[in-house]
Amino acid sequence: MSDVTDAPNFSSSSSGALRELAGLFLKLGAVAFGGPAAHIAMMRQEFVARRAWLSDQEFLDLLGATNLIPGPNSTEMAIHIGRLRGGWRGLVVAGVCFILPAMVIVLALAWAYVEYGTKPEATWLLYGVKPVIIAVVLQALYSLLRPAVKSWFLGVAGLAVFALYLLGVNEIALLFGAGAIVVAVENGRRLLDAAKSQILIAPFALGGLPLAAAAAPASFSQLTLFLTFLKIGAVLYGSGYVLLAFLHNDFVVRLGWLTDQQLLDAVAVGQLTPGPVFTTATFVGYVLGGVEGALLATLAIFLPSFIFVAATHSLIPKLRGSPLAASLLDGVNVAALGLMAAVTWRLAQDAVVDGLTAALAVIAAVLLIRFRLNSASLVVLGGAVGIAYHYIR
């Protein structure tokens, strides 16, 4: 494996390189529909095929590194590429510019939602959108199932997480607990050596903290909003759709600040916009705390990604080669699928309320899984069906 820290012979972070990074990632952030897999495919086309900044192997090395740390993979790929091309300033410029277009669009939609979301037309728009969102998450689960469930044991672990979450067990404890169990089962004696590894100790310690922090529903505060999203950004592994589980547990169950319907609406807006799915935090922040809440939530959820990329950039070869880290990732990934499935089950009860919404969910799932249609176009179509049904019923 090549060492990505030495491979590309890029110039220093000159103003020209930074402007180039800013322009490219603003463009990508504005047109990157379709979720993390589509974002990463666009980056490969731009930086490997078109500009030859990286080889395919170097690109894969970076992608593997993003899977070993929490946070949104496509955003972390942008941050890594910015670090390679423009140094520390490039790291910040690339990440911010990739996030910025989606944040601005989501902020505008959140304002419209708060101002007009209770109007009949908006209600029926969301009536048609919500079952399509359930199908989008099911398609993500389907596509992630094969690479994540590599053995019967991992499959059982995922089912156990699904059941335990529905029984009320904390999602972070499940995420890192599953990772710890898989490390123990797959590595046996190596687990004793893991106690000496500072890389692995920190995630296990973090997994237990939220249990003690759980409390009764609280009054809203910007500080709690910031710290909650900071925690989510610091521990969330897997697809951006795993964010559903964290948002549900923290903002619907623990804090009581959102309803299931508002959570689905937030995810729907995320599907209608380009860029990182994590900008759902912008929507939630605005609904709860206005513009200040939106900016704080966005900063909090993305800040850990910048820190993790900066901290691990030079450690990529060592992390990729560690069997303990690989086992931890296997356990965390399959637990993430279990969490996604459990939250989807709960949200489906709010989204699929009659024959039409059931039909929309099934048809959208078939079109996504069998024919690979674009999810954003299906979300728009679902909204159109909802509004049409409102006028013809």
Side-chain angles (χ1 to χ4, degrees):
M1 188 198 77
S2 63
D3 186 338
V4 295
T5 62
D6 298 326
N9 184 23
F10 292 152
S11 62
S12 62
S13 53
S14 65
S15 58
L18 295 177
R19 284 195 300 270
E20 182 181 34
L21 282 169
L24 288 171
F25 279 105
L26 282 171
K27 180 190 75 173
L28 282 172
V31 301
F33 288 92
H39 304 169
I40 289 167
M42 290 178 185
M43 290 182 195
R44 185 202 165 274
Q45 180 66 25
E46 186 71 46
F47 302 119
V48 176
R50 183 179 177 189
R51 298 179 181 274
W53 286 4
L54 298 162
S55 68
D56 270 320
Q57 183 58 59
E58 289 156 0
F59 189 83
L60 287 172
D61 290 345
L62 294 182
L63 183 58
T66 67
N67 283 311
L68 288 172
I69 57 176
N73 289 356
S74 58
T75 304
E76 288 169 347
M77 283 293 288
I79 297 169
H80 269 299
I81 292 170
R83 172 71 174 88
L84 287 169
R85 183 69 177 177
W88 294 105
R89 286 186 288 171
L91 176 150
V92 174
V93 167
V96 169
C97 288
F98 184 63
I99 296 164
L100 188 60
M103 187 196 77
V104 172
I105 296 169
V106 170
L107 190 58
L109 291 174
W111 171 83
Y113 174 83
V114 170
E115 292 294 321
Y116 305 109
T118 58
K119 291 186 179 294
E121 291 79 6
T123 300
W124 286 100
L125 172 73
L126 295 171
Y127 165 87
V129 164
K130 289 175 186 176
V132 178
I133 294 300
I134 297 299
V136 169
V137 181
L138 287 175
Q139 189 268 344
L141 278 167
Y142 178 82
S143 63
L144 292 169
L145 196 62
R146 181 174 294 179
V149 183
K150 301 174 183 177
S151 66
W152 68 267
F153 174 69
L154 288 173
V156 170
L159 289 173
V161 169
F162 173 85
L164 289 170
Y165 181 80
L166 290 178
L167 291 173
V169 179
N170 180 271
E171 80 282 358
I172 299 179
L174 289 172
L175 203 62
F176 290 111
I181 291 170
V182 171
V183 168
V185 170
E186 292 188 351
N187 291 274
R189 294 179 181 176
R190 288 196 187 101
L191 187 60
L192 296 175
D193 297 330
K196 303 175 183 178
S197 171
Q198 295 181 358
I199 294 175
L200 294 179
I201 287 174
F204 292 139
L206 282 171
L209 291 177
L211 290 176
S219 58
F220 175 76
S221 79
Q222 299 283 18
L223 178 60
T224 302
L225 178 75
F226 179 84
L227 292 177
T228 301
F229 273 115
L230 188 68
K231 177 199 72 175
I232 292 172
V235 299
L236 197 155
Y237 277 88
S239 163
Y241 294 110
V242 183
L243 181 64
L244 275 170
F246 285 79
L247 293 178
H248 186 270
N249 189 69
D250 279 320
F251 291 102
V252 178
V253 177
R254 182 172 67 87
L255 295 169
W257 291 352
L258 293 177
T259 64
D260 278 333
Q261 178 176 331
Q262 288 174 316
L263 179 56
L264 271 174
D265 296 344
V267 177
V269 168
Q271 284 298 305
L272 286 167
T273 54
V277 176
F278 274 39
T279 50
T280 301
T282 308
F283 184 92
V284 172
Y286 185 87
V287 169
L288 296 175
V291 174
E292 182 183 356
L295 296 177
L296 283 173
T298 306
L299 173 64
I301 200 168
F302 285 107
L303 181 60
S305 292
F306 287 88
I307 295 171
F308 287 137
V309 169
T312 62
H313 190 77
S314 62
L315 300 176
I316 291 172
K318 295 178 183 178
L319 291 173
R320 292 276 322 269
S322 167
L324 288 171
S327 296
L328 175 66
L329 186 60
D330 284 343
V332 166
N333 282 345
V334 79
L337 289 186
L339 291 173
M340 287 172 63
V343 173
T344 303
W345 173 262
R346 284 184 171 170
L347 294 179
Q349 297 172 39
D350 183 63
V352 181
V353 295
D354 55 23
L356 178 58
T357 50
L360 279 172
V362 171
I363 293 170
V366 171
L367 292 174
L368 285 165
I369 294 171
R370 179 68 179 86
F371 299 102
R372 301 182 183 276
L373 266 64
N374 181 271
S375 61
S377 62
L378 285 177
V379 170
V380 172
L381 183 60
V385 170
I387 291 176
Y389 180 65
H390 166 58
Y391 285 108
I392 67 176
R393 69 189 177 95

